[in-house]
């Protein structure tokens, strides 16, 4: 349920009065309010770019000079255009529409395109989905028109000229042929040329030979006609990356209890895993989206170190993530839809059930790593990798444990089995200055003197002057043990005068 389909079904939304609706949404409705229009400067003259319903009933229209509009309706409220504010509202509506499908594209300046393939059945059918969206948007104070077709341009055109129309699959030609040529939204010069030639509808233009259209208006114009007729597919540009797989669960009544939310995640997680099993894939990055009844949206993301398609494991990762949120998941008046999407997937090889205890232990460690990363964050769970250098403090790097890195250098043993360690278990974050006295042999570190009983060295290490930015002075390293049995790793910088530092402590 909810997997992305190849057959496209696109729902176009058009907000014909977006600027005036934006202004009126937060106003208190009053009787005898003056008609509202929005004006912008076009070629040095102020013209109407949006009119509300009251102004439209008084025969005011978009493109009309403001002076003429004032002459017709003296009591007129005029507000300057704000394209930025309109774009912000359109983006907010796009995010709100994300509850119906994860593939939502802006159709600027006043429309949206939703790819509803595989999503309509979650709300009944395409008609139920279209009516639900229009009703909800109108309740939010927005005038909206909508249509569904198999191509973006066909849906775009029908939303503006055939509000509420749903085109059957591969029936776009019959649906758009009666529409005026303006529905193609070609440049004004091309539209005027078609009308002068007597071609006033899309069907009349489509009846002409391809060679005539291409030679006179170019291949791009003919391609646009083909797209409107459903004979050519043009991609849309979603606001967010399309998930590879997704599933969702809607609720007749909003839910708010933790138990119901966890059960829903487990249920849609099983459906998502079934989809990935069919394709031989596993998820590396998953996103759960929680849609509140009041329109608020919360997204929670978890990652896995290896491809995963076990529903119980996925539910456990999200449980860890939800438990660690600094800003807890607030259900408010309840969630009416929860969606789970696989944002990044990888192919999974078919593997036999591991019987080797070491293999099973490695898998458990990987799962533990994923749980810790979900709780504390990916950048806080690190793994040590070797680094190709002989400088002690540069011989290893810390990288996120969930990501597997291929390194040319491998860990190697530098001592025999019966030999004492040559490197300390713990290196200090920064070498600390110490003092050495030879008669008697003793060490001053952190304001305390320690008598030394064993002393071994030197081991000379030259600094990599061509790479390091810090000190490039060669070092002589020594291993020492004090009277209490504590063992230290010291070095002397071969400079004038010589300086001694504590670099590490043996276990």
């Amino acid at each position: 349920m909810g997997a992305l389909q190849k057959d496209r079904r696109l729902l176009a939304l058009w907000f014909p009065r977006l600027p005036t609706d934006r202004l009126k949404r937060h106003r208190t409705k009053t009787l005898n309010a003056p008609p509202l229009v929005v004006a912008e400067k076009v070629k040095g003259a102020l013209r109407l770019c949006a009119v509300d319903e009251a102004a439209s009933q008084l025969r005011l229209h978009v493109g009309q000079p403001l002076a003429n509009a004032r002459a017709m309706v003296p009591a007129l409220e005029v507000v300057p255009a704000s394209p930025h504010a309109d774009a912000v509202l359109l983006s907010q509506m796009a995010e709100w529409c994300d509850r119906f499908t994860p593939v939502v594209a802006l159709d600027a300046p006043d429309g949206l395109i939703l790819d509803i393939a595989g999503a309509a059945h979650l709300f009944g059918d395409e008609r139920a989905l279209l009516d639900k969206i229009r009703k909800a948007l109108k309740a939010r104070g927005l005038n909206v028109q909508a249509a569904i077709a198999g191509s973006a341009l066909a849906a775009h055109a029908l939303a503006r000229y055939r509000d509420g129309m749903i085109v059957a699959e591969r029936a776009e030609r019959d649906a758009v042929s009666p529409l005026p040529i303006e529905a193609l939204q070609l440049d004004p010069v091309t539209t005027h040329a078609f009308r002068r030639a007597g071609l006033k509808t899309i069907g009349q233009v489509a009846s002409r030979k391809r060679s005539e259209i291409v030679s006179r208006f170019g291949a791009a114009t003919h391609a646009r006609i083909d797209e409107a007729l459903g004979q050519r597919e043009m991609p849309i540009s979603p606001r967010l990356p399309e998930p590879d797989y997704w599933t969702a669960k809607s609720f007749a009544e909003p839910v708010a209890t933790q138990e119901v939310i966890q059960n829903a995640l487990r249920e849609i997680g099983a459906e998502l895993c079934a989809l990935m099993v069919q394709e031989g894939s596993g998820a590396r990055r998953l996103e759960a989206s929680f849609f509140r009844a009041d329109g608020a949206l919360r997204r929670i993301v978890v990652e896995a170190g290896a491809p995963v398609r076990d529903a119980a494991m996925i539910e456990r990762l999200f449980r860890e993530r939800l438990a660690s949120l600094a800003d807890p998941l607030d259900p408010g008046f309840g969630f009416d839809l929860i969606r789970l999407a696989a944002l990044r997937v990888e192919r999974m090889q078919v593997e036999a059930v591991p019987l080797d205890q070491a293999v099973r232990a490695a898998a458990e460690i990987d799962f533990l790593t994923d749980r810790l990363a979900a709780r504390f964050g990916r950048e806080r769970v690190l793994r040590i990798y070797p680094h190709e250098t002989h400088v002690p403090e540069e011989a290893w790097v810390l990288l996120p444990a969930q990501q597997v890195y291929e390194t040319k250098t491998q860990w190697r043993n530098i001592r025999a089995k019966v030999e004492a360690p040559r490197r300390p278990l713990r290196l200090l974050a920064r070498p600390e200055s110490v003092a050495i006295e030879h008669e008697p042999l003793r060490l001053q570190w952190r304001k305390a003197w320690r008598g030394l009983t064993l002393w071994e060295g030197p081991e000379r290490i030259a600094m990599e002057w061509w790479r390091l930015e810090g000190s490039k002075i060669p070092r002589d390293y020594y291993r020492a043990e004090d009277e209490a049995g504590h063992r230290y790793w010291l070095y002397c910088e071969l400079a004038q005068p010589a300086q001694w530092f504590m670099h590490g402590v043996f276990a």
Side-chain angles (χ1 to χ4, degrees), residues 191-207:
T191 301
H192 181 68
F194 277 132
R195 284 202 164 272
R196 288 193 60 185
L199 305 175
K200 299 181 180 180
T201 66
I202 296 177
Q204 291 173 340
V205 174
S207 66

Side-chain angles (χ1 to χ4, degrees), residues 94 103-108 111-115 236-239:
V103 187
V104 181
L106 297 176
D107 187 15
L112 300 172
I113 300 291
L114 284 64
D115 190 338
I236 62 175
S237 301
R239 298 170 55 252

Side-chain angles (χ1 to χ4, degrees), residues 1-5 97-104 115-123 129 241-250 267-276 283 285-289 291 337-345:
M1 179 178 70
L4 297 183
Q5 307 290 327
C97 286
D98 191 61
R99 67 185 56 236
F100 302 106
T101 171
V103 187
V104 181
D115 190 338
I116 60 171
H121 70 281
L122 297 172
F123 306 92
L129 175 58
E242 296 185 36
D244 295 282
Y245 306 94
W246 65 274
T247 59
K249 182 176 180 61
S250 58
E267 179 182 338
I268 59 180
E271 296 171 358
L272 184 71
C273 290
L275 291 171
M276 292 189 290
R285 183 180 176 88
L286 295 139
E287 178 187 75
S289 302
F291 298 88
L337 185 133
I338 298 176
R339 184 170 66 229
L340 183 61
L343 302 183
R344 188 171 76 245
V345 300

Side-chain angles (χ1 to χ4, degrees), residues 407-433:
T407 59
K408 298 180 180 179
T409 305
Q410 300 297 325
W411 295 114
R412 58 190 178 87
N413 194 356
I414 61 173
R415 64 166 177 148
K417 292 183 179 180
V418 297
E419 186 181 7
R422 295 187 183 180
R423 292 289 185 271
L425 182 63
R426 176 192 170 202
L427 281 184
L428 302 180
R430 291 183 180 179
E432 298 181 11
S433 179

Side-chain angles (χ1 to χ4, degrees), residues 383-411:
R383 180 174 295 172
I384 301 175
Y385 285 87
H387 186 214
E388 183 62 39
T389 180
H390 57 268
V391 178
E393 60 266 33
E394 300 286 334
W396 48 272
V397 292
L398 289 172
L399 297 172
Q402 285 184 301
Q403 182 68 41
V404 178
Y405 298 89
E406 294 184 2
T407 59
K408 298 180 180 179
T409 305
Q410 300 297 325
W411 295 114

Side-chain angles (χ1 to χ4, degrees), residues 111-353:
L112 300 172
I113 300 291
L114 284 64
D115 190 338
I116 60 171
H121 70 281
L122 297 172
F123 306 92
D125 56 16
E126 291 183 349
R127 172 57 64 186
L129 175 58
L130 186 145
D131 291 341
K132 181 180 180 69
I133 293 176
R134 288 199 303 177
K135 181 180 179 180
L137 289 173
K138 288 179 179 178
R140 283 166 170 73
L142 295 169
N143 288 275
V144 62
Q145 296 181 199
I148 297 176
S151 75
L153 185 55
H156 171 99
L158 291 168
R160 285 152 177 77
Y161 292 91
R162 296 290 187 272
D163 181 28
M165 187 171 186
I166 298 178
V167 182
E169 292 186 12
R170 290 177 288 278
E172 284 78 17
R173 187 182 190 95
D174 294 336
V176 303
S177 290
L179 301 185
I181 192 64
E182 287 80 6
L184 291 176
Q185 290 201 329
L186 302 170
D187 63 88
V189 175
T190 302
T191 301
H192 181 68
F194 277 132
R195 284 202 164 272
R196 288 193 60 185
L199 305 175
K200 299 181 180 180
T201 66
I202 296 177
Q204 291 173 340
V205 174
S207 66
R208 310 300 296 185
K209 293 182 180 180
R210 173 186 174 88
S211 57
E212 296 179 17
I213 301 297
V214 173
S215 62
R216 176 67 177 84
F217 302 103
T221 300
H222 194 275
R224 196 160 180 81
I225 296 171
D226 284 345
E227 184 189 358
L229 299 176
Q231 299 173 355
R232 181 189 182 98
E233 286 192 4
M234 296 296 289
I236 62 175
S237 301
R239 298 170 55 252
L240 302 174
E242 296 185 36
D244 295 282
Y245 306 94
W246 65 274
T247 59
K249 182 176 180 61
S250 58
F251 304 93
E253 296 292 336
V255 299
T257 63
Q258 191 70 21
E259 182 181 358
V260 175
I261 294 172
Q262 292 291 348
N263 290 337
L265 279 176
R266 190 179 302 111
E267 179 182 338
I268 59 180
E271 296 171 358
L272 184 71
C273 290
L275 291 171
M276 292 189 290
V277 168
Q278 293 177 5
E279 302 294 330
S281 302
R284 289 288 306 276
R285 183 180 176 88
L286 295 139
E287 178 187 75
S289 302
F290 301 87
F291 298 88
R292 282 195 343 196
D294 60 359
L297 168 62
R298 185 72 180 273
R299 303 181 194 273
I300 306 296
V301 176
V302 298
E303 295 191 23
V308 58
R309 57 187 183 196
D310 185 316
M313 189 178 298
I314 291 174
E315 189 267 337
R316 184 70 178 274
L317 290 177
F318 276 107
R319 191 191 311 166
E320 295 282 356
R321 184 71 183 121
L322 290 171
S324 67
L325 292 176
D327 180 15
L329 190 65
D330 180 14
F333 294 104
F335 300 112
D336 54 13
L337 185 133
I338 298 176
R339 184 170 66 229
L340 183 61
L343 302 183
R344 188 171 76 245
V345 300
E346 292 181 3
R347 298 291 297 176
M348 287 188 68
Q349 301 295 330
V350 178
E351 297 180 354
V353 177

